Amino acid sequence: MVVAWVAIAVAAVLASGPLDDVRVTSGSSMLARGAESARVLHLLAEQSGRVVPALVIYERPGPLQRDDLRAARQDLRQFASVPGVVGTASAPVPSADGHALQVTVLLSGKPGVLVSPLVEQLRQITAEGSPPGLISHVSGAGGAAADYVDSFRRVDGTLLALSLVVVLLVLLAVYRSPVLWVIPMLAVVVAYLCSAAAVYVLARSGLMTLRAATPEVFTVLVFGVATDYALLLVARYRERLRATADQAAALKDALSGGIRTVVASALTVAGGVGCLVVADTHALRSIGVAAAVGILITTVVMVTLLPALMLLGGRRAFWPSTPRPGETARDGLWRGVAGFVGQRPRLAWAGSALLLTMLCMGLTTLDASGIPPSSLFTMRTDSVAGYDALRRHYPASAPVVVMARQDRSAAVEQAVHTAEGVVAMRPGPPAPWRTFDVVLAAEPNTPEAQRLVEDLRGAVRAAAGGAALVGGFTTELLDVQAAVLDDALLVVPLILLVVGLILVVLLRSLVAPLLLMGTVVLSFAATLGLCSALFTQLLGYPVVDASFALYAFVFLMAFGIDYNIFLMARVREEAVRLDTREATLRALRATGGVITAAGVVLAAAFFVLTVLPLVPVVQLGLLVAIGVVIDTVVVRSFLVPALAHHMGRRIWWPARAAS
């Protein structure tokens, strides 16, 4: 078994490549199916090929000099000769204060053309030809897209290395053995290599598409989940080694309950995250598919390879804390927690619920209106510096593309002229669908931009009905936000249904699943409230992405139920021969340490995402890390066991007994 899995892992590595190589970052990759801006992109690609606008901004602390304008004109001529540049402005546009120049460069957005190298060439040209004291930036949609892609490429290796280090440190801290950590670490690495290769092959063959931060979330998710399952199975094995001298029998006993719990956990997490495949937003579907595939493959590896490695290592692998038959486990901390829960269950669950409810008050600070492009990165990228320069010297502008059928183009042109907030319009040449490049007086991805776009769409629809469409960079951002709300109304009930059905089958009860899901929903709301207050009051992130709350719910629901399954599956197992209240306390003592360690691993794995220079990913990493800690320390340690102890046998209703 071990040799077979090692051979499979080697073959997987040879047959695949980095996930970043199959990531899609251009075209409509971030849009929702059916969005108006996506239809505009499709029409542009059919008619003349999609273009991505880049804005080159020249800025001088004082008044512009004659050489500055000459240098900008020279750059324009060089831009036009770059392969992949499909158009440029006729001349630089000076600012009203005389301190800046602006140049528009249209980059090819055709499939196979990478925007990032084109932007890099533009930046090299401006750097080489600028007079002393003249500062240049490449911004706009093209500059932001290039910085977005480059931010992943710079840290993907670091992210993988940090994930490995986190797993290693936690395993060393938990096992305190110079040998034992090798067994789960080897299984975790094989699980990652195999699952990453499967996702790579599926993406390369076109059966799935990787978008946005999917490869990064996939990496930390697989490492975290694989380590969690390893901790659970190894803990079960060590527990049985203290009960019998037969290592094979100990492993068989450990797997009889452990594999059932791991499979139920995997189905819950994969099913919960996998519900994102029904979302309309491309990025949500991307993470849903990749995460579900990764978790399922990881589970297969952990329930086959890890047991074989444990049997090979045997009792000796635990040296120097070798478990002996008849030896008592050292669980002083969790014996104390179980004692408190058993003596004062009402205080434990009421106090926990009150604490979580108080944290929910932070929801009043939540602003999910979307992150403007100028605030997208944690570091100061060239595109962000360009946005800042534009704000200093030019009126706020949001680029929009209006398309109209040729027979209605005159009416649409008149409607655009009279629409509120339109500061500039440039009609394109006659075509089956004529284009109008429009500039609105707002910053993209802001409430003001949303209002002006809605007004513009209303005006062109009144003039031409379905014969006119409004798209472009500004509307793409807004259409994603609108689709997320629709996705939430579909995905959230579906997740609750899928997770609920899995819990009913696993626990053979109706009350217990409702109780577990209720505690996790409360934990999610508390985490979202706490993180919203943290982002706005301490970290300087006043807004979150429109999809942030949905991502938060999906991950925290899946992981929260995951740890509750670890606990309640053990309670169910113990309740076959014990009273439910005693079974709850025994399960808490037995699983407290391993579930806490698993929570630490998962929290640390997602915290690693904060090395990425993208604010939405940093926010997601922090939220999941904090949410897992809250769930592990408060919900699973006190709230759930106290409620189970308080309800006793009634928690298994409609079953008469736990058996």
Side-chain angles (χ1 to χ4, degrees), residues 381-401:
T381 64
D382 188 57
S383 62
V384 170
Y387 275 117
D388 291 341
L390 283 171
R391 282 205 299 258
R392 282 192 296 269
H393 304 291
Y394 293 89
S397 61
V400 171
V401 175

Side-chain angles (χ1 to χ4, degrees), residues 201-209 289:
V201 171
L202 290 173
R204 177 66 74 182
S205 62
L207 296 176
M208 64 178 294
T209 307
V289 175

Side-chain angles (χ1 to χ4, degrees), residues 338 341 566-591 641 644-645 648-649 651-652 658-659:
V341 170
F566 284 4
L567 173 65
M568 292 305 294
R570 185 60 180 265
V571 173
R572 183 77 188 181
E573 185 180 327
E574 298 289 346
V576 171
R577 55 184 179 274
L578 297 173
D579 174 77
T580 297
R581 289 187 170 90
E582 179 56 35
T584 299
L585 301 181
R586 186 182 181 114
L588 181 56
R589 291 194 297 268
T591 64
H645 188 281
R649 187 178 299 181
I651 199 172
W652 306 119
S659 58

Side-chain angles (χ1 to χ4, degrees), residues 27-98:
S28 60
S29 63
M30 295 296 293
L31 296 179
R33 292 176 292 190
E36 186 172 341
S37 53
R39 294 173 60 194
V40 169
L41 284 177
H42 180 70
L43 285 172
L44 285 172
E46 281 189 340
Q47 188 164 277
S48 58
R50 182 177 184 263
V51 296
V52 180
L55 299 179
V56 182
I57 302 96
Y58 301 87
E59 181 184 29
R60 182 176 288 280
L64 291 172
Q65 300 176 4
R66 184 178 303 173
D67 289 344
D68 298 338
L69 183 58
R70 184 183 301 113
R73 288 173 175 165
Q74 175 63 29
D75 288 347
L76 260 177
R77 289 190 288 271
Q78 293 189 55
F79 294 157
S81 65
V82 173
V85 171
V86 297
T88 63
S90 58
V93 179
S95 62
D97 61 7

Side-chain angles (χ1 to χ4, degrees), residues 295-311:
I295 290 168
L296 292 177
I297 293 177
T298 294
T299 304
V300 173
V301 175
M302 301 312 291
V303 300
T304 54
L305 174 60
L306 182 62
L309 291 171
M310 289 193 295
L311 189 59

Side-chain angles (χ1 to χ4, degrees), residues 359-385:
L359 293 178
C360 291
M361 296 173 63
L363 291 172
T364 58
T365 65
L366 183 65
D367 181 358
S369 60
I371 303 173
S374 57
S375 303
L376 187 62
F377 301 93
T378 59
M379 60 184 184
R380 189 168 177 79
T381 64
D382 188 57
S383 62
V384 170

Side-chain angles (χ1 to χ4, degrees), residues 202-513:
L202 290 173
R204 177 66 74 182
S205 62
L207 296 176
M208 64 178 294
T209 307
L210 298 185
R211 295 180 169 98
T214 297
E216 289 71 29
V217 173
F218 171 85
T219 296
V220 300
L221 178 65
V222 169
F223 271 101
V225 169
T227 308
D228 282 0
Y229 296 161
L231 289 170
L232 178 67
L233 293 175
V234 172
R236 286 259 187 168
Y237 184 41
R238 179 162 52 186
E239 183 180 338
R240 297 311 303 162
L241 286 174
R242 295 192 178 105
T244 178
D246 188 337
Q247 294 179 174
L251 181 61
K252 183 178 179 180
D253 290 345
L255 297 180
S256 64
I259 288 182
R260 185 169 59 249
T261 301
V262 167
V263 170
S265 167
L267 290 177
T268 302
V269 178
V273 178
C275 287
L276 289 173
V277 299
V278 303
D280 202 37
T281 306
H282 291 320
L284 291 172
R285 293 202 313 279
S286 171
I287 288 183
V289 175
V293 170
I295 290 168
L296 292 177
I297 293 177
T298 294
T299 304
V300 173
V301 175
M302 301 312 291
V303 300
T304 54
L305 174 60
L306 182 62
L309 291 171
M310 289 193 295
L311 189 59
L312 287 177
R315 203 181 301 270
R316 295 166 299 178
F318 291 85
W319 183 87
S321 301
T322 307
R324 304 293 181 186
E327 183 181 62
T328 303
R330 292 173 291 182
D331 56 357
L333 172 62
W334 294 103
R335 188 173 296 275
V337 172
F340 172 75
V341 170
Q343 292 171 11
R344 299 188 175 183
R346 290 181 179 84
L347 176 61
W349 69 256
S352 303
L354 178 61
L355 174 61
L356 295 175
T357 303
M358 292 175 62
L359 293 178
C360 291
M361 296 173 63
L363 291 172
T364 58
T365 65
L366 183 65
D367 181 358
S369 60
I371 303 173
S374 57
S375 303
L376 187 62
F377 301 93
T378 59
M379 60 184 184
R380 189 168 177 79
T381 64
D382 188 57
S383 62
V384 170
Y387 275 117
D388 291 341
L390 283 171
R391 282 205 299 258
R392 282 192 296 269
H393 304 291
Y394 293 89
S397 61
V400 171
V401 175
V402 177
M403 298 193 73
R405 277 208 320 254
Q406 183 60 39
D407 60 332
R408 304 307 302 272
S409 61
V412 170
E413 183 174 5
Q414 180 61 33
V416 172
H417 269 302
T418 58
E420 180 186 359
V422 174
V423 296
M425 182 187 70
R426 186 181 64 181
W433 282 84
R434 193 177 187 187
T435 62
F436 299 88
D437 292 320
V438 179
V439 177
L440 301 178
E443 183 182 357
N445 217 25
T446 60
E448 177 64 11
Q450 182 174 10
R451 185 183 68 82
L452 293 179
V453 166
E454 290 173 350
D455 289 345
L456 180 61
R457 280 178 166 167
V460 298
R461 286 193 188 114
L469 300 169
V470 179
F473 177 64
T474 302
T475 60
E476 290 170 14
L477 299 173
L478 300 177
D479 284 346
V480 169
Q481 295 178 30
V484 166
L485 179 58
D486 293 335
D487 288 339
L489 296 176
L490 175 63
V491 170
V492 170
L494 184 60
I495 290 176
L496 293 175
L497 177 63
V498 170
V499 170
L501 290 176
I502 294 174
L503 290 177
V504 168
V505 173
L506 174 67
L507 301 177
R508 301 187 297 280
S509 165
L510 295 178
V511 173

